[in-house]
Amino acid sequence: MYTEKVMDHFQNPRNVGEIEDADGVGEVGNVKCGDIMRIYLKVEDNVIKDIKFRTFGCGAAIATSSVITEMAVDKTIDEALELTNKQVAEELGGLPPVKMHCSNLAADALKTAIEDYKKNNK
Amino acid sequence: MKRVYLDHAATTPLHPSILDVMLPFYKELFGNPSSVHSFGREVKKHVDKARKQVAESINADLDEEIIFTSGGTEADNLAILGVAAALKEKGNHIITSSVEHHASLDTCDALAKEGYRVTRLSVDEHGVIDLEELKSAISKDTILITLMHANNEVGTVQPIEKVSKIAKEHDIYLHTDAVQSFGQIPVDVNQLGVDLLTISGHKIYGPKGIGALYVRKGTKLKNLAHGGGQENKIRPGTENVAGIVGLGKAAEMASNSVDEMQEVEKKRDRLIEGLLKMDDVKLNGHPEKRLPTNVNVSIEYIEGEALILSLDMEGIAASSGSACTSGSLDPSHVLMHMGLSHQTAHGSLRLTLGKGTTDEDIDYVLDRVPKIVERLRNMSPLYGKQIKKGSGCPCTQKK
C-alpha cells in the first residue's frame, strides 16, 4: 500500500514539534477524512531556516508532513510557495490515489504558514 | 520480533485438524458429488455428513435446511434478495439496522433502488437497536427483518430472541447474520427463533470461501442463480467439496467449544482494563452484551490507521474503523451511528482475540500500545498542554 519511503517517514518523521516563536503558523484540515496538519516556520532573510510540524492523521498524512519539512527547509519563501502536493507525493515515491486528496495536505499547510508569515511581516 | 494476531474478527487461522479433513478432497477424493458413479457417491457422503454437522451445530431440525454458499456475504445476499423476490406480491418493506455489515446494508440498498422500502433502525450509544422503534416500523407490507446477531466491529450482541417474538406476532420472516457470533456464544436457530441464519467458515477456524445459510423448512426463498439442482435448487453450481467438508468440521468444533470462550473473555477483560488506564480512552460497544473476543476502544487525539501501522511494526495485527484504513473517506458507519464524533471514530482500535491468544500476547500489547499512543499524540496538534481539549480544526468537530 505505501512505499518504503512513506513508511520510513512515518516511522521516523523528521522535524516533529513546534517552534515557540514561529514567524508563521499554518493549519489545514480535510473536512471529509479529518486529517489536520499544522506547520511552524522560522524565516531569516526570506529563507526558511527552520520548519516543524504536528499532524493528526494517517500514515500518509504524517509522511507527507515530514517530507515537506525536508523539501522546504533552506528554500526561499517564493521557492517554497511553488511546492505542490503532487511533488510531495512524487518525493515519497507515490501515494495511493485515495490519499492524494485525503491525506496529502502538506503543501497546502506550508502555503498557509507562509501566508501567515507574510501577514505578520507586512 | 514477536507476532501477535488480534484480528480474528477479520479472519481466524485455519485449524490444522480442519485442514486435515479437507486435504483428501484436493487429492484422491475428486469426484463430483452430483455424479451417480462410485467416485461421485463417495464424495456425496462427505457433503451429506458436513450438512448434518452444520445443521446439528446450530440445532436445525433438518439437514436440508442448510444451503452451502461461497461465504457469509453470499448467504446474506441470498437471504435478503431471495425473500424479497419470493414475497414481492405480499409486500415490499424490509427492516434492518444502521450498523449491519455491508453484506446486508448494501443488499438492502440495492433493493431500495428497485423500489423496495427499507427501514434502517437506529442504535443506542452501545450499538443496540430499540425494540419499540422496531415495533413502530412494522407495517402490513413488511416481509423481512434482517439484523445481525453480533456486530463485527464493536461486538455488541443484539436481542434477537426478543426480535423474533415481535416478528412472529406479525408473521414476518427474521434473518440474522451470525457470522461473528457463531462459535463464540450459543447460536441455536430454535432458541433464537429465526427463519434464516448466516454463518461463515473462516470466522470459526475453517476455510475461506465457504459459508452456509440456514433456511427454516417452509420459508419462501427464491434462487438467485440458475443452473443445476444443487443445494435444494436454491444455490446451483458444483459444490466446493473441500470447503464444505471443512465447514462441517469447523461448525462441529465451534459449537462444541463455546465454553472455551470463558477463558478468552478473561483475557479480553484484562485487555480492556489495561487500555482504559490510558487517558482519554473509551470502550466502544456494549459493556456486557458483547462478544467474548471483542475489544474496541476510541483513543482520542490520534488517528486509527497511524496506530495500526505502528502496531504492525511491533508485530501486532489489529484493525480500526478509521476512514484511512477502509479506503473510503468516512470512518466506520457503526461508530458514527453509535454517536461518536468524526474525530473519535477515526481514532478507534479493534483488537479481536482468538482461542490461541495467550496472556503473554495481552501483556505485550498492553506494553506497546501506550508507547505508540504517546508517540502519536506527541505528534498530534490536537494534543498537548498548549492545546485545549476539543480544539483544533473545526472540520473534525462533531456536527
Side-chain angles (χ1 to χ4, degrees):
Chain A
M1 184 183 174
Y2 288 138
T3 64
E4 278 183 28
K5 197 163 179 186
V6 171
M7 289 307 291
D8 176 39
H9 274 270
F10 169 69
Q11 204 168 355
N12 309 293
R14 283 62 142 172
N15 304 308
V16 178
E18 297 179 7
I19 299 173
E20 292 275 329
D21 54 345
D23 298 319
V25 180
E27 180 174 299
V28 294
N30 183 304
V31 177
K32 284 289 274 180
C33 79
D35 290 348
I36 302 168
M37 286 176 198
R38 185 182 296 159
I39 283 185
Y40 301 82
L41 298 177
K42 197 77 191 157
V43 181
E44 287 175 24
D45 299 329
N46 223 34
V47 172
I48 296 173
K49 296 308 284 185
D50 195 11
I51 176 166
K52 297 222 179 288
F53 81 89
R54 295 191 87 178
T55 289
F56 167 87
C58 62
I62 290 169
T64 54
S65 306
S66 168
V67 82
I68 201 152
T69 61
E70 285 193 332
M71 292 167 81
V73 75
D74 292 332
K75 280 197 167 52
T76 66
I77 289 298
D78 289 340
E79 285 170 342
L81 274 173
E82 286 177 16
L83 291 172
T84 65
N85 287 332
K86 187 163 176 278
Q87 285 172 312
V88 171
E90 283 167 0
E91 184 70 19
L92 287 166
L95 285 172
V98 71
K99 301 289 184 180
M100 283 303 291
H101 63 285
C102 169
S103 301
N104 188 2
L105 304 163
D108 297 339
L110 177 64
K111 279 188 180 63
T112 311
I114 292 172
E115 281 162 15
D116 185 53
Y117 161 73
K118 284 184 170 177
K119 191 178 73 185
N120 296 337
N121 289 277
K122 267 184 182 170
Chain B
M1 182 172 62
K2 186 173 172 65
R3 296 186 81 205
V4 177
Y5 183 77
L6 288 180
D7 202 14
H8 290 82
T11 196
T12 49
L14 183 65
H15 193 286
S17 62
I18 295 172
L19 176 63
D20 286 345
V21 299
M22 293 171 66
L23 285 174
F25 300 91
Y26 288 117
K27 294 178 178 174
E28 63 270 22
L29 294 171
F30 61 87
N32 186 326
S34 296
S35 301
V36 292
H37 49 62
S38 65
F39 292 82
R41 290 200 310 272
E42 193 176 11
V43 169
K44 177 76 162 51
K45 276 193 308 190
H46 293 277
V47 172
D48 290 344
K49 181 186 170 190
R51 200 182 307 280
K52 189 174 192 62
Q53 286 171 311
V54 173
E56 286 179 351
S57 72
I58 56 174
N59 195 30
D61 297 330
L62 304 164
D63 297 352
E64 57 263 35
E65 290 176 323
I66 304 302
I67 306 286
F68 291 118
T69 66
S70 65
T73 294
E74 187 194 325
D76 283 345
N77 272 256
L78 179 56
I80 297 166
L81 298 175
V83 167
L87 297 187
K88 66 180 177 185
E89 301 304 321
K90 185 186 174 195
N92 74 340
H93 181 223
I94 294 167
I95 299 174
T96 186
S97 85
S98 53
V99 295
E100 296 297 305
H101 189 280
H102 281 289
S104 296
L105 273 186
D106 293 357
T107 306
C108 288
D109 285 349
L111 283 173
K113 284 179 186 160
E114 288 178 23
Y116 285 82
R117 193 163 62 84
V118 176
T119 300
R120 289 186 185 196
L121 303 175
S122 61
V123 292
D124 65 15
E125 60 181 313
H126 299 310
V128 184
I129 61 152
D130 180 349
L131 294 173
E132 293 307 313
E133 188 187 354
L134 168 67
K135 286 178 194 167
S136 304
I138 291 172
S139 63
K140 61 180 181 185
D141 60 348
T142 307
I143 51 173
L144 175 69
I145 299 169
T146 175
L147 292 171
M148 66 203 323
H149 190 196
N151 187 269
N152 53 311
E153 290 190 37
V154 296
T156 297
V157 180
Q158 299 289 358
I160 296 297
E161 286 179 57
K162 290 178 181 168
V163 172
S164 160
K165 290 192 176 89
I166 296 167
K168 279 191 175 65
E169 282 168 17
H170 294 84
D171 194 24
I172 298 166
Y173 285 159
L174 172 61
H175 164 245
T176 195
D177 177 340
V179 164
Q180 290 292 335
S181 59
F182 183 49
Q184 295 199 39
I185 55 176
V187 172
D188 178 324
V189 291
N190 289 313
Q191 197 176 334
L192 289 171
V194 294
D195 303 293
L196 305 113
L197 180 141
T198 296
I199 64 167
S200 175
H202 73 108
K203 310 288 186 173
I204 52 170
Y205 304 88
K208 295 172 181 63
I210 187 73
L213 179 66
Y214 160 78
V215 184
R216 187 178 292 278
K217 191 181 181 189
T219 305
K220 289 180 179 144
L221 187 74
K222 196 171 186 309
N223 56 308
L224 306 180
H226 303 273
Q230 296 94 339
E231 299 304 300
N232 264 344
K233 297 182 182 172
I234 291 291
R235 203 275 188 177
T238 300
E239 293 90 339
N240 168 10
V241 176
I244 287 171
V245 171
L247 177 64
K249 178 74 176 172
E252 184 182 83
M253 289 172 69
S255 63
N256 288 337
S257 62
V258 171
D259 290 348
E260 288 176 27
M261 286 296 153
Q262 287 175 356
E263 287 306 308
V264 181
E265 196 170 300
K266 285 180 193 163
K267 296 183 182 84
R268 176 204 70 181
D269 290 345
R270 199 159 69 81
L271 183 53
I272 290 174
E273 198 180 317
L275 293 172
L276 293 182
K277 282 182 183 162
M278 291 187 290
D279 292 335
D280 299 306
V281 176
K282 174 186 160 295
L283 180 69
N284 294 318
H286 201 284
E288 288 132 30
K289 292 170 194 161
R290 69 184 303 128
L291 291 176
T293 57
N294 181 284
V295 176
N296 189 311
V297 290
S298 286
I299 304 174
E300 296 283 358
Y301 312 116
I302 62 166
E303 195 277 337
E305 190 210 73
L307 179 58
I308 300 304
L309 289 174
S310 301
L311 286 168
D312 187 46
M313 287 170 190
E314 299 284 351
I316 300 165
S319 74
S320 170
S322 153
C324 288
T325 321
S326 67
S328 78
L329 291 177
D330 297 312
S332 152
H333 68 284
V334 175
L335 298 176
M336 295 297 280
H337 281 290
M338 285 164 55
L340 272 67
S341 72
H342 205 277
Q343 181 184 306
T344 305
H346 264 295
S348 73
L349 170 67
R350 183 185 74 174
L351 298 163
T352 42
L353 290 71
K355 291 178 185 173
T357 304
T358 64
D359 281 315
E360 289 72 32
D361 292 339
I362 303 299
D363 292 338
Y364 183 69
V365 172
L366 287 177
D367 175 67
R368 292 303 194 275
V369 171
K371 291 172 185 164
I372 292 168
V373 168
E374 187 183 3
R375 172 179 172 267
L376 293 174
R377 279 181 171 171
N378 284 337
M379 233 185 286
S380 171
L382 303 175
Y383 188 75
K385 59 186 178 186
Q386 301 90 343
I387 311 298
K388 283 183 187 167
K389 189 176 178 181
S391 69
C393 177
C395 67
T396 62
Q397 303 305 307
K398 188 177 178 181
K399 299 283 187 294

